[in-house]
Amino acid sequence: QVQLVESGGGLVQAGGSLSLSCAVSGSISIFNVMAWYRQAPGKQRELVAKITSGGGTHYEDPVKGRFTISRDNAKTTVYLQMNSLKPEDTAVYYCNVDDVLGHVAYWGKGTLVTVSS
């Protein structure tokens, strides 16, 4: 059973920082892409950032220069460092792992990030 568990969400003031972690348990291929998505109230879930097994990264425009995604392959963990937070960053953040060889994706249950102004 593959399981993803997010942690690190909470309430922060605008301009502050927060770090999210996602630990993956179970058996997955080493050839995978890990990503963070978010969903604000009344909006669709959207991609925030992703990172390949080789360390290549991609960021959506709203978070470029403010967020940093990283991974620890030995621990099968993905992180999201969020700086200069804005109220519009408020959302439930979800961890995602795409097992390329197995053609299957896994999702965490999400962690709430609230940015006050």
Side-chain angles (χ1 to χ4, degrees):
Q1 182 73 39
V2 175
Q3 186 175 14
L4 282 63
V5 180
E6 302 100 334
S7 62
L11 174 64
V12 298
Q13 188 175 349
S17 299
L18 201 62
S19 182
L20 305 182
S21 299
C22 174
V24 181
S25 62
S27 181
I28 62 172
S29 170
I30 62 172
F31 300 104
N32 62 72
V33 178
M34 295 183 174
W36 287 97
Y37 289 75
R38 67 186 182 185
Q39 186 169 22
K43 301 183 66 177
Q44 296 185 16
R45 186 175 300 184
E46 64 180 17
L47 174 69
V48 176
K50 61 182 180 181
I51 183 169
T52 69
S53 58
T57 60
H58 167 79
Y59 300 91
E60 292 298 297
D61 288 341
V63 306
K64 285 184 178 178
R66 300 188 298 119
F67 291 10
T68 301
I69 188 171
S70 61
R71 63 187 290 166
D72 183 334
N73 290 334
K75 294 182 176 295
T76 317
T77 303
V78 60
Y79 307 91
L80 186 68
Q81 178 64 47
M82 305 183 292
N83 299 323
S84 302
L85 284 164
K86 305 174 181 179
E88 51 262 44
D89 294 319
T90 296
V92 175
Y93 284 71
Y94 296 90
C95 179
N96 166 266
V97 177
D98 184 353
D99 190 329
V100 178
L101 294 183
H103 296 274
V104 63
Y106 304 94
W107 293 88
K109 295 182 178 180
T111 184
L112 177 63
V113 173
T114 302
V115 184
S116 63
S117 61

